[in-house]
Amino acid sequence: MSGCGAEHGLITVDQALELILQHTQVLATERLKLNQALNRYLAEDIYSGINLPLFSQSAVDGYALCTQSAIEPEREFHLIGEIRAGQKDEIELAGQAVRIFTGAKIPLGATTVARQEIIQVIDSSRIKITEQLKIHADIRDVGEEISVGQLLANKGQQLSIGAIASLSMAGINTVEVFQYPKVAVVITGDEVAESIEDFVAGKIFDANGPLIEAWFQQVGQQVEIFHVADTEAAVRNLIQELSASHDLILTTGGVSVGDYDFIRPVALNLGFEQIFWKVKQKPGKPMFFAQLQRDDSSHCYLLGLPGNPAAVYVGMQIYTATLLNALQGHKSQPNWFNAVLTHDLKIDARERFLRMSASFEQSVLRVKSLSKQQSHMLSNLMQANCLVRIPAGESLKEGDLVQGLFIH
């Protein structure tokens, strides 16, 4: 098979991802308040210092009862008081009942709780059970969810909303997490328009800057965005400055072999070590990944994405995400899903990432390709909810199984 996809020396998508994981040095850690740590990766295992519940408590609004056997309907109890959630009360039952509310501490002597729906109040001091009730009903036992010393979260785990809520309930106030990388985004090119007049004059509007900035907003990280002219001196001065202060330089454009593609030669001249250049994929073949070790043994990484916006989008979703996670101690391949293709696809020399629409049909996840897949086009992202991998050198038929990645 001929064509640019058959170019000698290209590495595969999986090889490129593995090289990113192998060469990425994990950043230092910091301690944050738990409510400031959403989406961060834990740098420590977290163990519980308490039981949860802290004490035996009522699971419902009802009545705590003292009885040594199952309760039959029509049985009456003498009512001696009330216990609310958060109330400290030294009530002790001996054959009696006490009004109790959800979350309130079970009093001494109580063996079961009757929900209020099965209680008939006879008067201010007497109640009657209207249904059969087992011993220990509706009591949350101390430590039934979490016990002292239990592992709550693992090092490397990402803190989701649910994880933060769970740790908060266990009394965790601060967590040790890996630092966010300091990221600089460099948009290359003299062709970017800043006004309608520029556009009429032959320039184009910039999609890459807004795309990348929005992507980082989505993951909760701020970045600095720079535009640089297509001159070797301008590119060299900016890359040299940023490499001293940032963990990652993310560039768009300037990584191919054109007369004005200065990113790769400038980076190599500044001492960056090339990890890989050119991946057997479409879009995004001329991707460039390099590292610079500074005098203090820390690293600056440079991920050079091609300039076409679809290639930038694919690069962000797959490679930038993998690199950012690896810098924060989470070294893993993207979480690919499997789905059924709804139509035939022709063969291509390179692995392709196609923007598709995924949906469940009769409990089966199916994916359908969208039109306008060229690397300079983005309009189908209005409908796409996934990127689907189409293997190199294979023609696929309707019903074949493919891998994909959901996009937000």
Side-chain angles (χ1 to χ4, degrees):
M1 186 178 298
S2 61
C4 63
E7 180 181 333
H8 178 72
L10 299 185
I11 63 173
T12 67
V13 170
D14 289 325
Q15 287 173 330
L17 289 168
E18 191 58 37
L19 285 169
I20 288 175
L21 297 177
Q22 289 176 4
H23 287 86
T24 302
Q25 181 184 68
V26 178
L27 297 177
T29 66
E30 60 183 338
R31 182 158 290 275
L32 295 179
K33 291 183 178 179
L34 183 60
N35 62 4
Q36 298 174 341
L38 179 64
N39 292 328
R40 302 295 286 271
Y41 286 97
L42 285 172
E44 61 179 349
D45 292 332
I46 297 181
Y47 297 86
S48 178
I50 63 170
N51 291 312
L52 197 64
L54 287 164
F55 47 82
S56 294
Q57 57 186 234
S58 177
V60 296
D61 291 346
Y63 295 81
L65 311 175
C66 178
T67 178
Q68 303 308 313
S69 60
I71 302 170
E72 298 298 326
E74 303 301 316
R75 181 171 171 182
E76 295 185 9
F77 285 84
H78 179 56
L79 187 62
I80 64 169
E82 176 183 282
I83 303 176
R84 299 186 303 275
Q87 174 185 349
K88 185 177 181 180
D89 202 310
E90 302 302 327
I91 294 177
E92 183 173 354
L93 301 182
Q96 305 106 329
V98 64
R99 180 76 163 114
I100 198 167
F101 296 91
T102 303
K105 187 175 181 180
I106 298 295
L108 291 173
T111 56
T112 194
V113 172
R115 64 188 186 278
Q116 60 189 16
E117 291 84 355
I118 65 168
I119 294 294
Q120 178 184 343
V121 178
I122 301 173
D123 55 37
S124 61
S125 62
R126 287 187 303 155
I127 60 171
K128 180 191 294 186
I129 310 299
T130 61
E131 296 180 12
Q132 189 173 38
L133 187 64
K134 294 181 180 180
I135 290 288
H136 206 69
D138 285 318
I139 292 179
R140 301 169 181 164
D141 289 318
V142 57
E144 72 175 17
E145 180 181 3
I146 295 171
S147 57
V148 172
Q150 180 177 332
L151 179 65
L152 300 179
N154 294 293
K155 180 180 179 179
Q157 180 175 339
Q158 190 174 32
L159 289 173
S160 64
I161 295 171
I164 287 177
S166 298
L167 293 176
S168 295
M169 187 173 285
I172 304 299
N173 297 315
T174 64
V175 286
E176 190 79 12
V177 298
F178 291 102
Q179 292 179 0
Y180 263 151
K182 188 176 182 182
V183 181
V185 176
V186 177
I187 310 296
T188 70
D190 298 326
E191 72 276 14
V192 175
E194 297 182 1
S195 67
I196 293 295
E197 290 74 18
D198 288 342
F199 185 70
V200 172
K203 295 191 176 186
I204 60 173
F205 288 124
D206 175 32
N208 291 338
L211 186 162
I212 293 173
E213 187 172 16
W215 190 90
F216 277 103
Q217 287 175 355
Q218 180 179 270
V219 299
Q221 184 170 351
Q222 293 183 339
V223 294
E224 297 176 86
I225 296 185
F226 302 86
H227 289 81
V228 64
D230 278 331
T231 70
E232 185 174 2
V235 172
R236 183 194 308 109
N237 291 339
L238 182 58
I239 297 299
Q240 185 171 28
E241 177 185 350
L242 296 176
S243 66
S245 55
H246 289 71
D247 302 302
L248 170 62
I249 302 171
L250 182 67
T251 67
T252 68
V255 290
S256 192
V257 292
D259 292 343
Y260 298 96
D261 289 331
F262 296 117
I263 293 294
R264 179 173 173 268
V266 161
L268 296 178
N269 287 334
L270 288 174
F272 278 84
E273 173 194 356
Q274 178 176 303
I275 306 301
F276 64 78
W277 180 43
K278 298 185 180 180
V279 181
K280 194 174 182 178
Q281 69 176 50
K282 183 180 180 179
K285 183 187 76 170
M287 192 179 311
F288 175 59
F289 181 54
Q291 65 179 4
L292 174 71
Q293 183 169 333
R294 294 182 284 236
D295 292 340
D296 62 357
S297 296
S298 66
H299 287 75
C300 175
Y301 299 92
L302 191 153
L303 182 61
L305 305 178
N308 278 318
V312 172
Y313 190 82
V314 168
M316 295 300 296
Q317 296 289 352
I318 296 170
Y319 297 98
T320 305
T322 299
L323 178 53
L324 284 178
N325 290 343
L327 285 166
Q328 297 172 80
H330 185 75
K331 295 192 174 186
S332 67
Q333 294 267 349
N335 188 22
W336 307 109
F337 65 74
N338 292 319
V340 174
L341 191 62
T342 62
H343 51 81
D344 297 348
L345 280 173
K346 65 181 181 180
I347 193 170
D348 195 286
R350 284 180 279 171
E351 181 169 351
R352 287 171 288 166
F353 289 100
L354 298 184
R355 289 151 270 169
M356 292 197 182
S357 174
S359 61
F360 280 99
E361 298 176 14
Q362 298 179 337
S363 301
V364 176
L365 183 62
R366 302 179 187 275
V367 290
K368 180 180 180 180
S369 185
L370 301 169
S371 62
K372 301 180 180 178
Q373 294 282 345
Q374 288 90 334
S375 61
H376 64 285
M377 296 180 175
L378 288 182
S379 59
N380 61 14
L381 288 177
M382 296 290 185
Q383 294 81 40
N385 60 8
C386 62
L387 294 174
V388 174
R389 299 179 68 173
I390 308 302
E394 295 184 23
S395 59
L396 297 182
K397 301 294 184 183
E398 177 184 352
D400 284 347
L401 204 62
V402 291
Q403 285 188 318
L405 185 70
F406 283 113
I407 55 180
H408 298 289

